[in-house]
């Protein structure tokens, strides 16, 4: 059985306490590796290593930092198959998805920020003949990066790459539920020649390792992606220390479909935006609002296609859905389906655990589920489920659907389908979310600001916004006479 190690000061180390956590393969419910059960002592060691590495890394020329990070990107690409299989075993997602999305994107994250830093510049502000101001931007120090289990390497690298490119050292914690690709990344960082202590990865529970990172007085900024409740806890701990915080949190995204949409394109994309990664993407559209004149046709066609989506072995090419990430998560998702029934919903398809045969009999599989007949403000339509479950609801006009769409505490992303250009702009302007996709979903340009409003988070990642977060500006004013 493979034993994962922490990556501290350039070395792969056992946790100080010498205890380990079982790591489950969600496709068969069996323990297949061991994860360090690290604690605040390991975080302390990692922070000391990062603090020691910072003075040199922060003044290492950008070109040199870029060269090393590009090497890591190349190594991720060279190990595409190995990493995709590891991600699938750890998380339950189809290998094909990990190969197409997760791992290539992890390489792109390094590539994008390794080259982006070469083009990042600060402002100057002239006061005509009186003075000139220029802004210096310096790395902040040791960055704490904490990431979730749904897109493990993809989201882990989305934080680490800009932090390192802009000259910070990092103490990072992947989700304890899916730590394998972060461990493999630490091996690739050693191979790429990343200097000791620049990146440190401490594995373990959120309430131990994550909490120790958030509370550490020498870690002045935290980049976190995860649930809204955890984000609130991190903010509570970090705020009195005035840490810089970037919080990318939960979502309950509306998918708004008008009758004039490009129907076939919408239908195909809506299958993906509902059920990709077993619905465990923070950007999935879980509340589908359909204009009443199209509602019955959409319902019939959508449910027919959803019933054909194969739930199966993540290693099989034909599987559209693999396993959800863990037993407790499966139970949580199934409990929401029960809640939906109690709230008056009708399950049109799915609604149950799927039992596969043989080796996979104890895996955590859920049939893609479509529910109708719920009010916009019931719990099922207000709380994040984060699984292969969507609700469908008819609407009569723009005003009504905007009220439905904006009614939750969340504000991460929305999806809008219409061929009416004026309406598209008008609705996009009135949706209370950080991201709006019109006639598409998950089309990502890494230069754009990424993040949510309301309980979906604070701050933006992506493009130069990430460099702004991972650097501290200093204005210098020079009087000219
Ligand atoms: P959690 O909030 O449970 O965990 C996220 C990370 O925080 C994990 O590494 C976790 O460790 C750690 N953690 C847990 N408790 C603490 C603590 N007290 N202090 C510091 N760190 C802690 O989220 P999930 O992993 O369950 O991920 C799913 C959530 O992430 C969903 O709500 C989803 O919407 C959101 N998400 C948001 C995205 C966005 O861009 N806005 C993108 C992707 C997901 P451990 O796993 O060991 O508990």
């Amino acid at each position: 059985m493979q034993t994962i190690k922490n990556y501290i000061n350039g070395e792969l180390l056992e946790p100080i306490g010498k205890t380990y956590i079982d790591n489950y393969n969600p496709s068969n419910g069996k323990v297949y590796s061991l994860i360090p059960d690290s604690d605040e002592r390991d975080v302390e060691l990692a922070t000391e290593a990062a603090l020691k590495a910072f003075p040199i890394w922060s003044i290492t020329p950008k070109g040199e930092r870029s060269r090393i990070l590009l090497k890591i990107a190349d190594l991720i690409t060279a190990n595409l198959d190995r990493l995709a299989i590891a991600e699938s075993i750890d998380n339950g997602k189809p290998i094909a998805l990990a190969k197409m999305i997760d791992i290539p994107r992890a390489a792109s994250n390094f590539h994008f920020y390794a080259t982006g830093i070469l083009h990042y510049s600060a402002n100057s502000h002239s006061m005509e003949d009186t003075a000139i101001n220029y802004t210096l931007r310096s790395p902040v120090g040791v960055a704490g990066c904490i990431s979730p289990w749904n897109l493990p390497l993809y989201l882990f690298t989305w934080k680490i790459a800009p932090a390192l490119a802009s000259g910070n050292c990092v103490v990072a914690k992947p989700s304890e539920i899916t730590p394998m690709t972060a461990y493999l990344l630490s091996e690739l960082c050693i191979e790429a020649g990343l200097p000791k202590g620049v990146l440190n990865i401490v594995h373990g529970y959120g309430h131990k390792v994550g909490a120790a990172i958030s509370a550490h007085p020498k870690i002045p900024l935290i980049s976190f992606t995860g649930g809204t409740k955890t984000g609130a806890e991190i903010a509570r701990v970090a705020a009195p220390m005035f840490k810089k915080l970037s919080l990318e949190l939960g979502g309950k995204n509306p998918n708004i479909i008008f009758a004039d949409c490009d129907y076939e394109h919408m239908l195909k994309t809506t299958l993906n935006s509902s059920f990709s990664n077993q619905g465990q993407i923070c950007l999935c559209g879980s509340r589908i609002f359909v204009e009443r004149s199209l509602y019955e046709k959409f319902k019939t066609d959508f449910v027919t296609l959803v019933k054909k989506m194969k739930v199966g072995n993540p290693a099989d090419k034909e599987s559209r859905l693999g396993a959800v990430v863990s037993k407790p998560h499966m139970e949580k998702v199934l409990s929401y389906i029960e809640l939906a029934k109690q709230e008056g919903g009708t399950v049109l398809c799915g609604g149950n655990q799927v039992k596969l045969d043989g080796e996979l009999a104890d895996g955590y599989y859920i049939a893609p589920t479509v529910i109708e007949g719920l009010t916009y403000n019931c719990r099922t339509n207000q709380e994040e489920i984060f699984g292969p479950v969507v609700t469908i609801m008819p609407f009569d006009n723009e005003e009504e659907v905007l009220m439905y769409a904006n009614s939750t505490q969340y504000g991460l992303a929305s999806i809008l389908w219409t061929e009416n250009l004026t309406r598209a702009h008008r609705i996009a302007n009135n949706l209370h979310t950080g991201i709006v996709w019109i006639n598409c979903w998950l089309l990502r340009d890494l230069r754009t600001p990424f993040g949510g409003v309301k309980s979906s988070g604070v701050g933006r990642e992506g493009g130069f916004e990430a460099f702004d977060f991972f650097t501290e500006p200093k204005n210098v004013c020079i009087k000219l006479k």
Side-chain angles (χ1 to χ4, degrees), residues 144-158:
C145 298
I146 304 174
S147 60
W149 49 257
N150 64 325
L151 301 166
L153 193 63
Y154 173 135
L155 290 174
F156 195 60
T157 52
W158 181 233

Side-chain angles (χ1 to χ4, degrees), residues 225-436:
T225 300
T228 294
K229 236 172 114 186
T230 316
E233 170 60 15
I234 291 174
R236 187 190 67 74
V237 172
M241 287 179 266
F242 307 108
K243 295 190 180 204
K244 277 186 108 175
L245 279 182
S246 167
L247 304 172
E248 299 294 340
L249 310 176
K252 187 76 182 173
N253 309 310
N255 180 2
I256 302 169
I257 299 168
F258 280 91
D260 70 348
C261 67
D262 174 346
Y263 187 74
E264 291 307 320
H265 179 38
M266 175 280 296
L267 201 58
K268 195 164 158 244
T269 310
T270 296
L271 283 180
N272 288 332
S273 66
S274 303
F275 300 115
S276 280
N277 206 37
Q278 298 70 247
Q280 302 166 134
I281 301 181
C282 54
L283 304 163
C284 280
S286 53
R287 297 176 294 149
I288 304 177
F289 301 110
V290 187
E291 195 167 10
R292 196 174 295 277
S293 58
L294 187 69
Y295 185 80
E296 287 303 322
K297 176 176 167 50
F298 171 81
K299 175 171 125 180
T300 308
D301 293 346
F302 186 58
V303 169
T304 304
L305 291 173
V306 174
K307 282 181 177 165
K308 287 187 189 153
M309 293 180 97
K310 187 179 169 210
V311 181
N313 187 344
D316 287 349
K317 280 208 177 95
E318 307 77 52
S319 298
R320 287 287 299 274
L321 285 86
V324 300
V325 77
S326 67
K327 192 156 185 255
H329 190 60
M330 176 178 71
E331 283 160 2
K332 176 191 149 186
V333 174
L334 292 172
S335 79
Y336 267 105
I337 296 172
E338 284 313 306
L339 174 72
K341 289 182 202 160
Q342 285 162 24
E343 290 184 319
T346 304
V347 175
L348 300 173
C349 63
N352 55 289
Q353 185 184 353
V354 176
K355 283 276 182 194
L356 300 183
D357 295 332
E359 274 283 288
L360 306 181
D362 293 327
Y364 317 133
Y365 300 91
I366 300 178
T369 301
V370 182
I371 302 170
E372 74 164 350
L374 290 166
T375 57
Y376 76 93
N377 56 357
C378 66
R379 278 185 58 203
T380 310
N381 274 328
Q382 292 290 314
E383 297 175 16
E384 186 182 42
I385 301 174
F386 215 55
V389 179
V390 295
T391 62
I392 58 172
M393 269 159 287
F395 68 86
D396 289 304
N397 56 53
E398 272 181 46
E399 204 183 14
E400 182 187 35
V401 79
L402 268 170
M403 188 273 284
Y404 290 168
N406 290 333
S407 67
T408 74
Q409 62 163 317
Y410 297 107
L412 187 53
S414 355
I415 311 161
L416 175 60
W417 293 94
T418 179
E419 291 294 297
N420 180 331
L421 184 68
T422 331
R423 172 158 65 198
H425 286 302
R426 191 168 51 236
I427 294 189
N429 192 38
N430 287 302
L431 281 164
H432 302 161
T433 56
I435 300 154
V436 180

Side-chain angles (χ1 to χ4, degrees), residues 105 109 112-113 154 158 162 248 283 412-413 434-437 440 442-452 459-468:
R105 174 57 191 279
N109 289 341
F112 178 80
Y113 282 111
Y154 173 135
W158 181 233
E248 299 294 340
L283 304 163
L412 187 53
I435 300 154
V436 180
W437 275 296
C440 59
L442 211 56
L443 190 53
R444 290 282 290 118
D445 178 331
L446 301 189
R447 294 170 300 178
T448 59
F450 179 91
R460 292 292 181 274
E461 297 182 326
F464 289 166
E465 304 256 354
F467 289 143
D468 288 347

Side-chain angles (χ1 to χ4, degrees), residues 118-144:
L118 305 175
H119 304 273
Y120 183 56
S121 57
N123 289 328
S124 78
H125 299 90
S126 163
M127 298 167 76
E128 287 80 39
D129 286 346
T130 315
I132 183 158
N133 297 271
Y134 63 87
T135 309
L136 292 172
R137 283 214 162 254
S138 315
V140 183
V142 179

Side-chain angles (χ1 to χ4, degrees), residues 31-77:
V31 175
Y32 83 102
S33 87
L34 295 174
I35 314 157
D37 179 9
S38 312
D39 58 33
E40 71 280 357
R41 293 170 295 171
D42 303 282
V43 171
E44 188 55 45
L45 206 62
T47 310
E48 280 166 20
L51 283 167
K52 207 165 141 215
F54 180 70
I56 301 292
W57 182 248
S58 59
I59 56 162
T60 299
K62 286 177 185 178
E64 174 61 8
R65 293 203 299 258
S66 173
R67 189 190 64 74
I68 299 172
L69 299 183
L70 285 173
K71 182 106 194 274
I72 299 173
D74 289 346
L75 285 169
I76 293 173
T77 305

